[in-house]
Amino acid sequence: MSKSKKTFASLFAVSLVTATALAGCGGKDEKNAADGGGQAGPKHLSILLSHSNAKYAMQAKDDDRYVKELSRLSGYNLKYEFLGHGDDFTQQMTVRFASGELPDMIRTDSIDSTMHPGALDKGVFEDLTPLIEKYGPNLKKKIPAEAWNSPKVSKDGKIFGIPTLSALPASRVVYIRQDWLDKLGMPQPKTIDDYLKYFEAVKKEDMNGNGDPNDEYGLYVRENLIYSNLFFSNFGYDPGMWYLKNGQLQPGMIQPEMKDAIKFWKSLYDNGYINPNLFTNKGADWMAGIKQGKGGAWLHDVTNYNTDWLASNFVEKTAKLSLLEAPESAKGKGISAQGDQIYFVWVVPSKNKKAEDVIKFLNWVWSDEADDFFAMGIKDYNYKVENGKPKWDMNDPVNKDNDASVFYQLSINPRGDGRMLDKVLDVSPNTEAIKAGIQTAKKNVIKNDALHMPTLNSLKTHPELAVGTGAGTLFLDMFAKVVTGKEELDASFDKFVAEWKRRGGDAAIKEATDWYNKFNKK
């Protein structure tokens, strides 16, 4: 066992003893730890994070009712500051770290993120290990051990970040128009051939009934292949994953078998089975197109079933959906890489001297007492209790308008994503379909040889070499040219692989392999 893993084993053992001791004290000590040790008046905590493009978060005021309620419940006077999203968030965070004006809790993607290069090694972040032992029994009890092992969270056996969790260990499924299948008299597809038969039928029939048989596509695809990586694994490799091959950790996108996947995608394009604007179809337009009846199948998360894909959101109000597994093949199956379930990470600046309060606050956040708020919001405002049971409606304007429910379940939720909590599912519409979808998503997971691998130094300054289908990558550029017929497959792919390796890919493979061998002690 490696030194770091031994440290974590010790950490968990001590945590169990600590949790047991606290439980034996009848909970009084835990409450004092959560509210700041019984000190007079609430303590202040400032929190910096991204608004993540959530409508409510983008317009939240300092006196927001949900922040005030969370402050009341937790015993801490909380001030949330929302920055932008994506590249904007990265740039704004870089400026904040350069200024040195940092709040008490900061959302980041990793303790060693490119948003704050060198911060960890310069001692900017507090070592939280002893504080978690003393004040965080709920953290150790409820956050999976796997998350604490991540280099996003810890280094050399010391914990510098607190992981927040995505809603589910796996969430990606194939959404399909079940009403279209029923209309065509077809069973739910399981194999590639099944999907192709469905796509051909969608192409021939006016499925949305608008009089135009040429505006529907079997698979509706989004720019940069976001939520669109279907069929790749059926040929052995996903372009966004790393695989252990011949003793090396190598990206799937450079493997020779990728040619077969690209050839298949070209056939989808040539046959009219996918939308011709797939490389320019923005996220909002993609979603709108599906709701207008342009897509027979698409990929998305089961967590979005009730917010995005209710029949009431479609032009065809009779729309009916099913959540399916990815198609089977002899060479592989799946659409999601096995992950660590870390949504993002909280770091605590050392100079603020607030680390103890942060851990006490987060310990309360992870308590059973906090469940109701992060699931259903404010009692007697967002939900009521009738006959001893909560009554909550996500379509009630108080919860739905401007994504209010998303705000308290996700935006200001220091745990991460609360949209799939059992308490939410118990009072949500389509509960059985969602629960079945959760099990389906687990079957769509692909074993990940690079689980826990940090961002490679050799790729940090070469975004065009990024493994996957993101904007501006060499892979996506080649893929688009081949699929649309602008370049020939073999020559274009071979040129891409050679260029990727020459620009720094070989160094990335060596760095990834060295990490793999060290992490797995080979």
Side-chain angles (χ1 to χ4, degrees):
M1 181 182 291
S2 67
K3 180 180 177 181
S4 63
K5 291 184 178 179
K6 287 181 180 178
T7 303
F8 281 118
S10 300
L11 193 60
F12 276 90
V14 173
S15 296
L16 288 173
V17 173
T18 306
T20 303
L22 286 170
C25 291
K28 180 180 179 181
D29 291 342
E30 181 178 341
K31 186 179 190 309
N32 285 341
D35 65 15
Q39 299 176 15
K43 290 195 173 184
H44 293 257
L45 285 177
S46 54
I47 303 171
L48 183 68
L49 68 167
S50 165
H51 59 56
S52 300
N53 276 342
K55 289 182 289 187
Y56 191 108
M58 292 170 72
Q59 60 188 24
K61 309 298 183 188
D62 287 341
D63 61 348
D64 179 81
R65 69 170 74 240
Y66 297 107
V67 176
K68 289 172 67 174
E69 178 68 0
L70 182 55
S71 296
R72 184 187 73 80
L73 292 170
S74 67
Y76 281 90
N77 191 343
L78 305 173
K79 178 176 175 57
Y80 280 82
E81 180 183 356
F82 294 99
L83 299 182
H85 180 60
D87 292 340
D88 289 341
F89 180 64
T90 298
Q91 294 170 6
Q92 292 165 355
M93 283 280 283
T94 301
V95 171
R96 289 296 288 267
F97 272 88
S99 73
E101 295 298 318
L102 300 176
D104 304 321
M105 292 172 58
I106 303 171
R107 167 181 172 165
T108 183
D109 51 14
S110 169
I111 59 176
D112 194 25
S113 173
T114 55
M115 291 188 287
H116 41 76
L120 178 64
D121 294 333
K122 292 175 184 176
V124 174
F125 304 140
E126 185 81 14
D127 175 7
L128 304 173
T129 315
L131 295 173
I132 294 171
E133 290 297 330
K134 188 172 184 180
Y135 301 113
N138 291 332
L139 299 176
K140 300 302 297 182
K141 178 182 178 182
K142 295 190 176 182
I143 297 176
E146 194 71 14
W148 296 109
N149 286 333
S150 172
K152 298 176 186 176
V153 169
S154 54
K155 183 177 181 180
D156 299 328
K158 295 181 179 179
I159 297 174
F160 292 94
I162 303 297
T164 70
L165 302 182
S166 54
L168 300 166
S171 62
R172 196 68 53 88
V173 295
V174 180
Y175 280 79
I176 196 166
R177 288 290 298 264
Q178 182 63 49
D179 55 321
W180 289 12
L181 285 171
D182 294 342
K183 184 177 179 180
L184 293 166
M186 301 182 73
Q188 293 178 350
K190 294 183 177 180
T191 66
I192 292 179
D193 286 342
D194 291 341
Y195 274 90
L196 292 178
K197 290 176 183 176
Y198 173 59
F199 295 168
E200 177 66 19
V202 169
K203 176 184 175 181
K204 290 182 176 180
E205 301 292 335
D206 180 19
M207 299 306 302
N208 58 26
N210 68 352
D212 183 358
N214 298 312
D215 68 346
E216 301 101 330
Y217 304 94
L219 179 65
Y220 208 60
V221 183
R222 182 172 162 183
E223 68 170 348
N224 302 327
L225 293 183
I226 298 170
Y227 285 112
S228 303
N229 62 316
L230 193 62
F231 300 118
F232 286 103
S233 292
N234 296 118
F235 297 92
Y237 294 94
D238 186 285
M241 291 182 60
W242 292 76
Y243 297 82
L244 187 65
K245 183 177 181 181
N246 300 326
Q248 291 184 319
L249 206 57
Q250 303 178 25
M253 65 184 186
I254 68 169
Q255 303 307 316
E257 292 86 348
M258 189 56 60
K259 288 185 179 182
D260 294 329
I262 298 172
K263 182 179 179 181
F264 179 82
W265 267 83
K266 178 169 173 49
S267 73
L268 295 178
Y269 182 87
D270 291 344
N271 287 321
Y273 295 163
I274 55 179
N275 44 301
N277 68 336
L278 73 158
F279 296 110
T280 58
N281 199 16
K282 303 291 185 182
D285 296 330
W286 171 81
M287 188 168 287
I290 293 171
K291 293 174 182 177
Q292 291 162 9
K294 294 182 178 181
W298 61 96
L299 300 186
H300 213 220
D301 299 309
V302 65
T303 48
N304 294 73
Y305 190 105
N306 278 332
T307 52
D308 294 324
W309 306 121
L310 294 176
S312 58
N313 294 330
F314 283 72
V315 171
E316 303 165 80
K317 303 305 180 185
T318 56
K320 182 180 179 183
L321 307 181
S322 289
L323 311 184
L324 305 184
E325 296 179 40
E328 302 172 355
S329 80
K331 290 187 176 181
K333 173 188 174 183
I335 50 179
S336 299
Q338 174 191 7
D340 54 20
Q341 209 184 335
I342 295 177
Y343 180 40
F344 60 85
V345 177
W346 293 115
V347 289
V348 183
S350 303
K351 71 173 187 177
N352 292 15
K353 308 299 181 184
K354 289 289 190 75
E356 180 178 317
D357 288 323
V358 169
I359 298 304
K360 289 177 178 178
F361 167 63
L362 289 176
N363 189 64
W364 176 83
V365 163
W366 281 96
S367 69
D368 293 342
E369 177 188 342
D371 283 354
D372 287 345
F373 176 79
F374 294 126
M376 297 171 293
I378 302 172
K379 185 179 179 182
D380 296 325
Y381 179 71
N382 300 101
Y383 73 99
K384 301 182 184 300
V385 177
E386 298 180 358
N387 299 320
K389 293 183 179 181
K391 184 177 181 180
W392 177 86
D393 183 0
M394 65 166 294
N395 290 310
D396 188 306
V398 77
N399 293 316
K400 186 176 183 180
D401 287 355
N402 292 318
D403 294 330
S405 63
V406 174
F407 189 67
Y408 56 79
Q409 292 173 348
L410 179 66
S411 298
I412 61 169
N413 183 353
R415 299 179 181 184
D417 190 341
R419 290 176 294 170
M420 293 288 107
L421 287 171
D422 287 341
K423 288 193 174 185
V424 177
L425 295 181
D426 287 344
V427 294
S428 295
N430 304 303
T431 296
E432 293 307 315
I434 293 173
K435 287 183 177 180
I438 290 172
Q439 298 307 311
T440 298
K442 292 178 181 178
K443 299 174 183 178
N444 285 328
V445 171
I446 308 166
K447 181 181 179 296
N448 185 4
D449 293 328
L451 181 64
H452 297 314
M453 186 172 74
T455 302
L456 300 177
N457 291 322
S458 50
L459 297 184
K460 285 181 179 179
T461 56
H462 292 282
E464 76 280 7
L465 304 182
V467 175
T469 53
T473 61
L474 290 177
F475 175 84
L476 186 62
D477 182 60
M478 174 274 301
F479 180 84
K481 289 176 180 177
V482 173
V483 167
T484 57
K486 294 179 180 178
E487 291 187 1
E488 188 272 330
L489 173 58
D490 288 329
S492 186
F493 182 82
D494 293 345
K495 179 183 176 182
F496 150 70
V497 173
E499 184 72 1
W500 186 86
K501 290 183 175 182
R502 184 187 66 80
R503 289 200 192 186
D506 280 335
I509 289 175
K510 183 181 185 306
E511 184 183 353
T513 303
D514 290 344
W515 166 83
Y516 180 88
N517 290 335
K518 182 179 179 181
F519 188 80
N520 294 280
K521 287 301 176 184
K522 287 195 172 184

